[in-house]
Amino acid sequence: MSREHLREYLKGYRESWTICMQCASCYYRGPIVPHNWRELPPFEWASPHRKCPSYEYFKFRAFSPVGRGNLASIVFDDPNFPITDELVRVVYTCTSCKTCSEICKAHDPWTIIWALKEELIRRGARLPNPLPKLITNIDSYGNIFGAEKPPAINMNIPKKGEEILFTGCFIRFIQPNLIEAIVNIFGKMGLNLAWLGDEEQCCGFLPGQHGDIQRMEMQAQKNVKRLREAGAQRIIVSCAHCYKTLRDYYPKLVDNFPFEVIHVSEMYARLIESGKMRFARRVEEKVTYHDPCFLGRHSKVYDEPRLVIENVPGIKLEEMDRRRKWALCCGSGAKAVYFCYPEFSSAISRERLLEAKEKANNLVTSCSSCIFQMDRAAKQNNIGINIYDISQIVARGLGIPSIV
Amino acid sequence: MSFQSKILDELKAIVGPDRVSVSPEVCLAYAFNPFWGRDIIVKPDIVILPKTPEEISQILKVANSYRVPVTPKGAVGGGGHGGPLKGGILLDLSLMDNILLIDTANMKAIAEAGCSFFKLSQEVFKRGMLLPTAAYGSGPSVAASAIDPAYAFGGTRYGGNINLVEGLEVVLPSGEIVRVGSMAYLDSEFGPYHRYITGPDLVGLFTRSNGAFGIITKVAYRCLRKPKFWAFKAFAWPRDRLKECIHAAAEATSIEVFDIHFNNRARWELKPNGPKIPEDLYFVLTIAINGFNELELRGREKEVEEICESYGGRYLPEVGEDFHAIWPCDFLPEEKILPPRYSLPAKIPRSYVFLFDELIHPLSWMPQIYEKMSELCAEYGLSGLVVDGFILNNLCSSTQFTISLNDSDPDVVKRYRQCQNEFRKWFLERGGTFQYRLPPYVPDKVWTNQLGAFKILKKIKGLLDPNNILSPGTFELFEEVEADE
């Protein structure tokens, strides 16, 4: 098994676009099905009015799933099709939110766009700045930020163990206190987490999601080797991007991937259901929950974070209209939109935060990229809303000082 | 300053720089529909996103002064095509998507041109009314449904969506904004109550016009009351009993059932996890029946059963319900339905395309039309023929044929086009008409069996659009027809 496996998988999608009916359900404003003569559609098929963030921002069809799919079908068939900066902009402004693929299971537009990115990389496309630099940073420093050393952690975490926390670049370099919170939570449950620390490498999500499968494979090889050496059996992940990469892509990229990969929210839910996690403190807050794209639509983890939040005494969960499979992207856009198209990124975040603010003054989510993006956008746009990681809420419920 | 940059500057001054694009990549995304075959790519030079009739008015004035073609388009259009034949300006009306009025007392609705028909249909439905729903997919815009009529579920009782259009707001090629039909009354106290004004009906000038006489900016619909009771039935016939099947369809149409679809068994083979059609049966009628009370429903149901059984039809439980009342609509299959590329009856990679969408003909001619199409497909080595006949209340059918083919093989594409041409010739010689008259899909021969009508249309076109800027592909064929005469 290798990156060729993933490439073959993506290649399979190239042929499907030729039978797209161009019905525009993937982006056209309005319902994807109006009624069935007797009743309105159930939640499962009650899509939001506004579906594709990039179409809603840029307005032209090229920036919709169907528009990108049409371009993909031409690029795939014409080896001499000019790979221009504009083509790259059209393709890389896709947020990878995957709402289109929830709507159209027949053609799975998001995977076609991913296949197109892979093709553009293969043809030597010039990626939007600063993506090339971020990817070079991974090669040189093992993280997207190009930092020599992560900030110091005020606790000693073993480097070897069966249960290993995989933090990812954002937590390691921007939200390091979250590492302490998570380790403390599991410690209180009798689980001593290990962490690779400086040995941990970027998971490869950023290059992988943007078509550089080879680099994602390289990162997979490095991380799996170190995880094996550390004696890992189960990998606990807090970032939704890392989680998707480790859970679903690593097994395709690395021979004999032996680990169980689990998100912190799934782990908390298991502990609650088994009666091991009991909350001692009330958290008197009204909160709303934002489903991260790569935990929700990409990984189908919807129930566990809600179970966790609803079990913290005192918390009242108010759901947004766009939730679960219909949740709006936070604006991070698989990180590329955040780094390369900040105005677009901020516009999406603003829309999401205002939607959240209608329900509560506190927003909980389960992805370090979402937290970073929305916290930044709330400040930029002067929207008074508190953004929490689910581990912070758990820590408060358990009476562990939340220091994030 | 070049000609192109001059016109571009003027257009940007009208809508702002963010809603105009000449980017080749942006324009290319509007240029073709794989479902029609990718050998036809017709790319606009400029795409504009207007938001108001006033902006469209100014755009048309600029286009007229430079004699630049203008083609309107919603999100879908023309089976997903609707691209311009000769480049020029493409007006993407998707941003004009507001519902302006839903009047339950008078059962009327008005929406902007780019509003999804599904959106309007759902909002009307929420208020106890009904608009027969456009085709299967997410739906064309309300304007596209009026200028390039979408035959809907419900066409058997009510005809096409077009039959419910009562008024239009239109920007003429000169830039003048006019309101016809019930929209002429829009600002009166009575409101948009009646299609007909004191004088000739002008709504029909713009419906089915393919945008050639003016850009429609608002559409007023008459709504129907939502029936409370529904039933969905299916009956099937063997391969050699096509005539009997069509006789049954005609009789059931005459008792005003809501909808009848005519299909061959290949349509069900597209969905391997859907209901199965028994091996000895080939043609299927799916029939939607409704009533405002249970008695009416049961009466019609009984009548339908008697008609179909008297012509030898066999009742297929579940098939009718699956066809008409599934979540979601047909082109958005649930997870249980495999992606079409794995489920095509002919097992041919790459494609599933239209041969024709849609042929309008008397229902009584369906047997000859189906057999001719089958014969030609066999002759040209094309397989996976699926027929989908939308039976209309005037005993016509709007018939769609699709096939499976590998559109990366030039020889296959050549045979596909030859088959289309040969059938088109045969069909037109007998008086057939096409729902989609967009060249290049339906080239020159389209006008030859309706010359009288086209001569007067040409005169009107000349008066309204002397520079032939609006959807010029639609009527330029006049010149060829005239040259032939």
Side-chain angles (χ1 to χ4, degrees), chain B residues 108-293:
Chain B
K108 310 289 182 195
I110 300 176
E112 288 184 323
C115 173
S116 141
F117 195 87
F118 270 22
K119 176 177 160 185
L120 181 62
S121 171
Q122 185 173 79
E123 292 306 314
V124 161
F125 186 86
K126 283 177 187 169
R127 291 159 178 81
M129 299 188 292
L130 190 73
L131 278 174
T133 302
Y136 300 98
S138 180
S141 67
V142 296
S145 301
I147 65 168
D148 214 13
Y151 285 106
F153 291 109
T156 311
R157 190 163 187 178
Y158 300 106
N161 296 357
I162 221 167
N163 297 102
L164 299 168
V165 173
E166 291 204 324
L168 300 166
E169 181 184 85
V170 185
V171 184
L172 297 178
S174 63
E176 187 183 353
I177 301 171
V178 297
R179 287 173 176 173
V180 298
S182 68
M183 287 294 286
Y185 304 111
L186 184 66
D187 297 328
S188 72
E189 285 191 54
F190 282 1
Y193 71 102
H194 189 43
R195 169 168 174 162
Y196 299 101
I197 55 167
T198 312
D201 171 28
L202 287 169
V203 175
L205 185 61
F206 298 99
T207 50
R208 301 202 64 160
S209 66
N210 196 28
F213 290 145
I215 306 294
I216 291 176
T217 48
K218 294 185 182 80
V219 183
Y221 277 100
R222 173 171 71 89
C223 305
L224 310 169
R225 190 178 148 205
K226 181 170 75 182
K228 199 172 169 187
F229 295 88
W230 293 85
F232 305 99
K233 302 273 181 185
F235 294 86
W237 284 259
R239 178 68 181 87
D240 59 352
R241 292 285 182 272
L242 176 53
K243 281 185 183 167
E244 287 83 347
C245 171
I246 297 304
H247 281 309
E251 280 195 32
T253 301
S254 65
I255 64 161
E256 297 189 352
V257 296
F258 182 70
D259 188 86
I260 303 179
H261 265 62
F262 163 75
N263 299 101
N264 58 352
R265 61 175 299 119
R267 194 227 175 258
W268 275 267
E269 287 163 4
L270 289 172
K271 303 194 324 183
N273 298 328
K276 298 277 177 283
I277 307 299
E279 284 298 316
D280 59 327
L281 298 174
Y282 197 86
F283 295 109
V284 182
L285 294 180
T286 51
I287 304 174
I289 307 160
N290 58 24
F292 291 95
N293 56 58

